[in-house]
């Protein structure tokens, strides 16, 4: 994720075209619709599950469990990569392997916050004709079968194009519980927060290593569900190590709020998950490593098997 500081304002997801990002390129999904086939893959998870709880409630439940699994595992995948039927099955696999919250990225043509792995996934997804309506149709089918909440990761332009209020109503009706918008600064979240609150969607805000302390306090005060701590300056992607500065950042945030804090960007191995949990994180977000497994597998079936094995290894690291 590109993290750019403008004076005292730290913005996430802005690049050279930051002055045009909200209104420049418009809604990125093609108009072609996809139908989600139920026969493409045999479900690797249970066909029915208890109704999903909200994000805040999920963290509350984890905290009451004590030492076992109290840190939330939050995987991220890109909708429509390699295709929507596989995404549907991947959501079930992630749920059945013990994921506590799942982030689902809406593919976008100008994903400034994302590194090469997720950018490539978005490109493949859009090339296959994935669009917002198809993703929502898939979610309406799948989310009732999951036991954990799903949060959408969407850039701001697609939301603006559809209309903030309408967007929130649509994702609420599909069963979505949360929303992350990486390229909108705090000053422009007022309407987003108002409309998300109306629809019981928890709007998660991001803070970064370059965010000034006073601004960080404002962000964590406004964030809902949890606070998303970006672990390093730059875009998403796997890294060899997690910066030790994350431990200090976690301490600073926890002095400012009692809300859960989840760390993302560069978390790609069981040892990363274990380290960040030991530093005091309430949740760990793993994205590029998940996306790579699904996008680069020899077949969708193989990708799902690899996803299952990897997710279980991450969960085991939290014991």
């Amino acid at each position: 994720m590109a993290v750019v500081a403008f004076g005292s304002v730290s913005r996430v997801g802005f690049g050279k075209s930051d002055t045009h990002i909200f209104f420049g390129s418009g809604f990125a999904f093609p108009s072609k619709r996809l139908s989600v086939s139920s026969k493409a893959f045999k479900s690797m998870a249970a066909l029915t599950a208890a109704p999903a709880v909200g994000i805040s409630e999920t963290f509350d439940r984890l905290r009451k469990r004590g030492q076992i699994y109290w840190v939330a595992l939050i995987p991220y995948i890109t909708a429509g990569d390699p295709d929507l039927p596989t995404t549907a099955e991947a959501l079930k696999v992630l749920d059945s392997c013990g994921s506590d919250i799942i982030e689902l990225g809406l593919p976008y043509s100008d994903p400034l916050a994302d590194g090469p792995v997720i950018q490539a996934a978005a490109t493949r997804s859009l090339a296959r004709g994935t669009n917002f309506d198809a993703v929502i149709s898939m979610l309406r089918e799948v989310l009732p079968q999951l036991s954990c909440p799903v949060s959408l990761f969407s850039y701001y332009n697609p939301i603006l194009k559809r209309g903030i209020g309408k967007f929130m109503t649509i994702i609420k009706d599909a069963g979505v519980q949360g929303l992350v918008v990486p390229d909108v600064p705090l000053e422009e979240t007022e309407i987003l927060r108002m409309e998300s609150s109306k629809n019981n969607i928890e709007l998660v805000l991001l803070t970064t290593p370059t965010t000034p302390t006073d601004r960080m306090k404002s962000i964590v005060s406004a964030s809902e569900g949890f606070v998303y701590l970006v672990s390093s300056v730059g875009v998403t992607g796997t890294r060899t190590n997690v910066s030790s500065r994350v431990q200090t950042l976690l301490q600073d945030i926890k002095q400012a709020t009692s809300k859960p804090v989840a760390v993302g960007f560069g978390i790609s191995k069981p040892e990363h998950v274990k380290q960040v949990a030991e530093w005091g994180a309430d949740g760990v977000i793993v994205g590029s490593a998940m996306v790579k497994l699904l996008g680069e597998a020899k077949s969708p079936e193989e990708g799902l098997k690899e996803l299952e094995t990897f997710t279980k290894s991450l969960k085991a690291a939290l014991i």
Side-chain angles (χ1 to χ4, degrees):
M1 176 180 289
V3 181
V4 185
F6 297 93
S8 62
V9 179
S10 175
R11 297 192 178 195
V12 180
F14 284 64
K16 295 179 180 178
S17 59
D18 55 300
T19 56
H20 305 288
I21 188 169
F22 297 140
F23 304 102
S25 56
F27 191 55
F29 297 125
S31 59
K32 179 182 177 182
R33 297 192 177 193
L34 291 179
S35 59
V36 179
S37 171
S38 60
K39 67 179 181 179
F41 302 104
K42 183 178 180 181
S43 174
M44 296 172 67
L47 291 177
T48 59
V53 299
I55 294 172
S56 296
E57 187 178 351
T58 295
F59 278 105
D60 289 342
R61 290 184 177 186
L62 288 171
R63 284 173 165 177
K64 291 176 182 177
R65 290 183 186 178
Q67 294 300 313
I68 300 177
Y69 289 147
W70 73 277
V71 177
L73 176 60
I74 309 174
Y76 167 102
I77 59 174
T78 300
D81 184 48
D83 52 50
L84 278 177
T86 305
T87 299
E89 293 305 315
L91 291 172
K92 298 172 190 175
V93 168
L94 293 171
D95 183 51
S96 69
C97 291
S99 300
D100 299 292
I101 299 164
I102 301 172
E103 276 190 9
L104 181 67
L106 296 178
Y108 182 59
S109 61
D110 190 21
L112 296 179
D114 294 311
V117 171
I118 296 179
Q119 284 190 19
T123 299
R124 290 190 298 265
S125 179
L126 292 172
R128 292 185 65 89
T130 304
N131 61 68
F132 179 74
D133 290 338
V135 173
I136 291 300
S137 177
M138 179 272 293
L139 289 175
R140 287 196 184 104
E141 226 179 280
V142 175
L143 294 194
Q145 302 176 37
L146 306 184
S147 61
C148 70
V150 169
S151 178
L152 288 186
F153 186 103
S154 174
Y155 287 90
Y156 200 21
N157 263 347
I159 298 172
L160 289 173
K161 180 69 175 181
R162 192 162 291 267
I164 296 174
K166 184 176 181 180
F167 181 91
M168 295 295 181
T169 299
I170 290 171
I171 66 172
K172 172 195 174 183
D173 291 344
V176 171
Q177 301 282 349
L179 178 65
V180 180
V181 186
D183 59 348
V184 59
L186 177 64
E187 292 77 11
E188 299 182 35
T189 61
E190 183 177 354
I191 298 177
L192 274 173
R193 286 186 280 142
M194 179 180 67
E195 293 297 333
S196 63
S197 179
K198 284 181 183 178
N199 289 280
N200 295 317
I201 301 292
E202 295 182 273
L203 182 66
V204 178
L205 302 182
L206 300 90
T207 184
T208 80
T210 61
T211 304
T213 300
D214 288 345
R215 183 171 178 77
M216 176 271 287
K217 291 179 180 178
S218 297
I219 289 171
V220 301
S221 175
S223 189
E224 299 172 344
F226 64 91
V227 177
Y228 194 134
L229 171 58
V230 176
S231 69
S232 61
V233 175
V235 296
T236 60
T238 59
R239 291 170 174 80
T240 303
N241 299 299
V242 181
S243 171
S244 59
R245 190 182 174 195
V246 169
Q247 184 174 15
T248 301
L249 293 169
L250 280 167
Q251 293 170 352
D252 292 344
I253 295 172
K254 286 180 173 290
Q255 287 178 358
T257 184
S258 60
K259 294 175 183 177
V261 184
V263 179
F265 284 47
I267 312 297
S268 59
K269 304 175 182 178
E271 50 264 43
H272 293 168
V273 166
K274 181 178 178 62
Q275 181 67 79
V276 171
E278 290 176 350
W279 284 340
D282 301 293
V284 289
I285 303 165
V286 182
S288 293
M290 299 273 183
V291 172
K292 187 173 183 179
L293 285 177
L294 288 172
E296 298 183 5
K298 294 180 180 179
S299 68
E301 293 87 351
E302 185 65 27
L304 291 169
K305 289 178 183 177
E306 293 179 6
L307 184 71
E308 180 178 20
T309 300
F310 181 56
T311 305
K312 287 179 177 178
S313 73
L314 296 175
K315 192 69 177 182
L318 295 175
I319 295 178

